[in-house]
Amino acid sequence: MGAHNKQSLAVVTLSAIGVVYGDIGTSPLYTLRECLAGDWGIGVSQASVFGFLSLIFWLLTTVVSIKYLIFVLRADDAGEGGILTLMSLAGRNLDSRFMTLVVLMGLIGGSFFYGDGVITPAISVMSAIEGLEIVAPSLDTYIVPLSIAILTLLFVIQRKGTGSIGKLFAPVMMIWFLTLAVLGARSIIDYPQVLQALNPYWAFNFFVKYKLISFFALGAAVLSVTGAEALYADMGHFSCKAIRIAWFVVVLPSLLLNYFGQGALLLQHPETIKNPFFLLAPEWALIPLLLLSAFATVIASQAVISGVFSLTRHAVRLGYLPPMRIIYTSDMESGQIYIPAINWMLYFAVLVVIASFKSSSNLAAAYGIVVTGTMALTSVLFCIVAAKNWHWNRWAVSLLLALLLLIDIPLFSANLIKIFAGGWLPICIGAAFLIVMTTWRSERFNVIRRLSEHGNSLQAMIASLEKNPPVRVPGTAVYLSRVVNVIPTALLHNMKHNKVLHERVVLLTIRTEDVPYVANVQRVTIEQLSPSFWQVVARYGWRETPNMEGIFHRCAVEGLNCRMMETSFFMSHEALIVGPRPWLLRLRGKLFLALARNALRSPDLFEVPPNRVIELGTQMDI
């Protein structure tokens, strides 16, 4: 049994290396180059190289090893992580007056992740393909077309699922990290003095020597920790123990060896600043390294794209995005999903980014703002969870928050100067998704409130129908109702126009609970309201997809037998019209109408056979 557990942990740890650490694992391709050859003109010297290496070492230690690995990974919801999960946890024991602020922070963090999802694939793949300049300088004109071709292939195969492809992720990334370690170690052996940069003195000396420039140069050093949020977002696929073991045993040592190896190379040969990563390798290994880098960056991009899919599903199930088609590409792993609308939206955004910025150095200027912004929001939300949910000592939590923000706020502030150099792009992408999420949530709530305002009592209506029944027809009618104890709009219209009622009427409400999963024994609650009326409430977690066959199965277990082919589903369809509003709210209403027209319809969302559905429409001003 012990041997089996060890083997399982080893397999899970290897898988974590392939999925969780793809983004941060490809940062050595461009980070040190951007630190020293960026817009600041710091150049290669012992003070600058040692200073940046010391900053990178302590950022990896404090941000990743301590903040995320030790603290943030504790905040899981049934094993699930991510900024929206943290938002949900933070809001459970919070006063309602602070709830809006917590939701806003969570939505801003989630929106920022969409910006990251556009930049990461572009900068990762381009930085790998730029190795062509070292192999054959004459091929530099092919960097952009090759990057576009590789990413096009990546987005096209998303619909096939990552199950079979994912089996290659772990071995390839393991080879990648071992290659990072070997290349770095070779260079460190030639110049071991570079290890002096482990001393935090060099980080402080860097700030003293370069003064104001050193503060803004933090915006380049932060490239070394981009991808840290993936540790938390992907924890639902792996155990915390596996993620921690993978980091401390494989990933962190490999990254440090490579960064310090690049530093040693630069101090001996300053001219290698044009691409210190590839120039670490002997000439015979350049082409294999180029191919391995391309594979590694594709895997890093895949991990980010999958993270965007997971975030979108979470937002849809919590009601912050309209229902959309979600395809499950694996029968075994619920996390392997494909969302066509988001996939192609990301693809076209990535194409525009690559065609506009044309190099990874230019993209680096756009990178960092949304990442550091999400890090700061994560710190605040985590400390709220620690204080309110876990009842940690308030003084200890306040001290922890101060220490975390002491790192996050300078990193975010240092990146703000990038806004005019390209940082506006991920911010605009995040702002667009934030507007969409807040618009859908608030306008949909208003529509549901309007539909529930007809004032008739459900109990009174049922009593009246039982006392003076209309014409009864055989079979079961299911009326979907968004709110319990409210007369479904479809029922009102059916009685008004058809003046008939089925022998058995089920009022069905499907709820998304603020948890990832709901146990099957808690799935369905049934209440008999009268001899022929039943109220059914089906509960699902935000990682689950409602399924009408599954609901009927649980109803049968609870004593209410329904057969799909003997049941008619009555659903309401609202034809919405934007009424008189101020111009800004009118634009918001138009956006909501566009989202509603393109949202997945209820029969498709709940997997109801189309030939069993009857839709009754109504027109409504919003």
Side-chain angles (χ1 to χ4, degrees):
M1 184 69 178
H4 175 74
N5 288 338
K6 289 180 181 178
Q7 183 182 9
S8 299
L9 180 61
V11 170
V12 174
T13 301
L14 183 63
S15 300
I17 291 173
V19 176
V20 174
Y21 293 108
D23 190 0
I24 199 170
T26 53
S27 295
L29 281 164
Y30 48 81
T31 296
L32 201 57
R33 181 191 69 199
E34 296 307 317
C35 287
L36 296 165
D39 298 330
W40 314 112
I42 291 178
V44 178
S45 67
Q46 184 186 61
S48 63
V49 173
F50 278 18
F52 272 117
L53 289 177
S54 187
L55 282 173
I56 289 170
F57 171 75
W58 289 105
L59 280 175
L60 289 171
T61 300
T62 55
V63 174
V64 183
S65 300
I66 297 176
K67 174 182 172 179
Y68 280 93
L69 271 297
I70 294 178
F71 287 106
V72 175
L73 286 190
R74 296 169 179 260
D76 71 291
D77 189 359
E80 297 297 327
I83 188 75
L84 293 185
T85 295
L86 200 56
M87 176 193 76
S88 299
L89 290 172
R92 288 182 185 174
N93 297 293
L94 205 63
D95 295 340
S96 56
R97 53 183 174 171
F98 298 115
M99 189 62 195
T100 301
L101 180 60
V102 166
V103 169
L104 184 60
M105 286 192 291
L107 293 183
I108 291 174
S111 301
F112 278 171
F113 193 76
Y114 284 102
D116 188 26
V118 172
I119 300 294
T120 296
I123 192 173
S124 298
V125 172
M126 287 194 76
S127 61
I129 303 303
E130 282 169 352
L132 281 173
E133 293 177 322
I134 306 300
V135 176
S138 61
L139 298 178
D140 63 340
T141 56
Y142 294 96
I143 291 174
V144 170
L146 272 176
S147 299
I148 291 176
I150 290 173
L151 286 167
T152 299
L153 179 62
L154 176 63
F155 279 97
V156 166
I157 65 174
Q158 291 299 313
R159 62 189 179 88
K160 301 293 185 182
T162 58
S164 57
I165 303 171
K167 295 176 182 177
L168 297 174
F169 284 8
V172 170
M173 289 308 295
M174 190 66 187
I175 294 171
W176 169 254
F177 283 115
L178 291 177
T179 303
L180 291 183
V182 170
L183 292 176
R186 288 177 66 252
S187 184
I188 293 171
I189 291 172
D190 292 338
Y191 193 81
Q193 297 93 320
V194 74
L195 295 176
Q196 296 176 47
L198 292 170
N199 190 332
Y201 159 80
W202 291 103
F204 290 109
N205 179 70
F206 178 78
F207 288 109
V208 171
K209 181 176 177 62
Y210 294 100
K211 299 180 175 62
L212 183 61
I213 292 178
S214 66
F215 174 74
F216 294 113
L218 276 174
V222 79
L223 294 172
S224 63
V225 294
T226 56
E229 275 290 320
L231 303 175
Y232 186 40
D234 289 331
M235 69 180 294
H237 302 292
F238 311 98
S239 67
C240 292
K241 187 175 182 180
I243 293 175
R244 288 174 178 137
I245 290 174
W247 173 255
F248 288 109
V249 174
V250 177
V251 181
L252 180 60
S254 300
L255 291 176
L256 291 177
L257 283 171
N258 195 266
Y259 281 125
F260 278 74
Q262 289 185 45
L265 176 68
L266 287 167
L267 289 172
Q268 295 177 92
H269 306 284
E271 69 278 5
T272 59
I273 188 60
K274 60 182 178 179
N275 205 320
F277 174 81
F278 281 100
L279 292 173
L280 271 179
E283 189 172 345
W284 62 265
L286 283 176
I287 293 179
L289 182 60
L290 177 64
L291 295 175
L292 180 61
S293 301
F295 274 115
T297 53
V298 165
I299 291 171
S301 302
Q302 173 63 54
V304 173
I305 294 168
S306 298
V308 171
F309 288 164
S310 296
L311 176 72
T312 301
R313 177 177 61 179
H314 194 170
V316 168
R317 299 294 294 128
L318 290 178
Y320 291 104
L321 285 176
M324 58 186 74
R325 189 168 187 79
I326 299 176
I327 300 172
Y328 289 81
T329 59
S330 171
D331 294 330
M332 303 297 293
E333 174 54 61
S334 64
Q336 292 184 14
I337 59 176
Y338 168 63
I339 306 178
I342 297 298
N343 183 70
W344 297 114
M345 195 180 302
L346 278 181
Y347 171 67
F348 287 114
V350 169
L351 286 191
V352 170
V353 164
I354 290 179
S356 303
F357 286 83
K358 294 184 172 61
S359 75
S360 63
S361 293
N362 293 336
L363 275 169
Y367 211 22
I369 296 180
V370 295
V371 174
T372 52
T374 304
M375 287 179 180
L377 293 170
T378 296
S379 296
V380 175
L381 292 174
F382 171 80
C383 288
I384 292 174
V385 172
K388 294 293 185 178
N389 295 32
W390 305 336
H391 307 294
W392 286 12
N393 181 276
R394 289 182 178 269
W395 288 105
V397 172
S398 300
L399 178 61
L400 176 62
L401 178 61
L403 291 174
L404 293 177
L405 293 182
L406 194 61
I407 299 171
D408 294 334
I409 290 179
L411 291 177
F412 179 69
S413 302
N415 278 278
L416 285 178
I417 199 170
K418 294 182 178 182
I419 288 179
F420 300 105
W424 56 268
L425 177 65
I427 290 178
C428 288
I429 294 171
F433 274 95
L434 180 63
I435 290 171
V436 167
M437 287 194 283
T438 54
T439 297
W440 179 261
R441 178 74 170 186
S442 61
E443 295 289 340
R444 193 62 185 156
F445 175 80
N446 289 336
V447 168
I448 294 173
R449 180 175 52 80
R450 289 281 306 279
L451 290 172
S452 305
E453 282 179 347
H454 43 66
N456 297 320
S457 167
L458 176 63
Q459 292 294 341
M461 182 178 183
I462 291 175
S464 174
L465 291 173
E466 293 288 3
K467 184 176 181 180
N468 300 299
V471 176
R472 292 277 188 169
V473 296
T476 300
V478 173
Y479 291 88
L480 265 69
S481 175
R482 298 182 182 91
V483 184
V484 178
N485 295 325
V486 171
I487 303 171
T489 306
L491 177 57
L492 286 175
H493 286 285
N494 184 46
M495 293 303 302
K496 178 180 178 181
H497 297 290
N498 298 325
K499 298 180 174 60
V500 296
L501 199 64
H502 283 69
E503 290 177 339
R504 184 168 58 173
V505 178
V506 176
L507 309 179
L508 174 62
T509 299
I510 299 177
R511 288 179 176 174
T512 299
E513 302 294 339
D514 194 12
V515 294
Y517 302 97
V518 172
N520 277 332
V521 293
Q522 300 173 335
R523 177 78 65 206
V524 170
T525 302
I526 300 174
E527 179 184 359
Q528 187 169 6
L529 304 177
S530 75
S532 60
F533 276 80
W534 302 73
Q535 176 76 63
V536 176
V537 178
R539 296 175 175 83
Y540 284 85
W542 51 260
R543 277 208 73 177
E544 299 174 298
T545 300
N547 177 277
M548 202 60 68
E549 285 282 7
I551 293 173
F552 276 14
H553 174 72
R554 291 306 307 177
C555 285
V557 172
E558 300 292 332
L560 180 61
N561 290 299
C562 299
R563 294 186 178 182
M564 185 68 70
M565 301 314 294
E566 296 177 0
T567 301
S568 298
F569 293 84
F570 288 81
M571 301 181 182
S572 61
H573 175 75
E574 299 85 27
L576 304 176
I577 299 174
V578 179
R581 292 182 172 194
W583 69 271
L584 188 59
L585 292 180
R586 185 169 181 81
L587 287 177
R588 185 172 183 168
K590 292 288 188 182
L591 173 60
F592 175 71
L593 291 187
L595 294 172
R597 280 195 297 268
N598 291 281
L600 194 66
R601 296 167 59 252
S602 295
D604 299 321
L605 182 63
F606 303 133
E607 300 181 11
V608 181
N611 61 345
R612 309 308 305 171
V613 176
I614 300 171
E615 282 193 318
L616 298 172
T618 182
Q619 184 171 295
M620 177 187 298
D621 289 338
I622 61 171

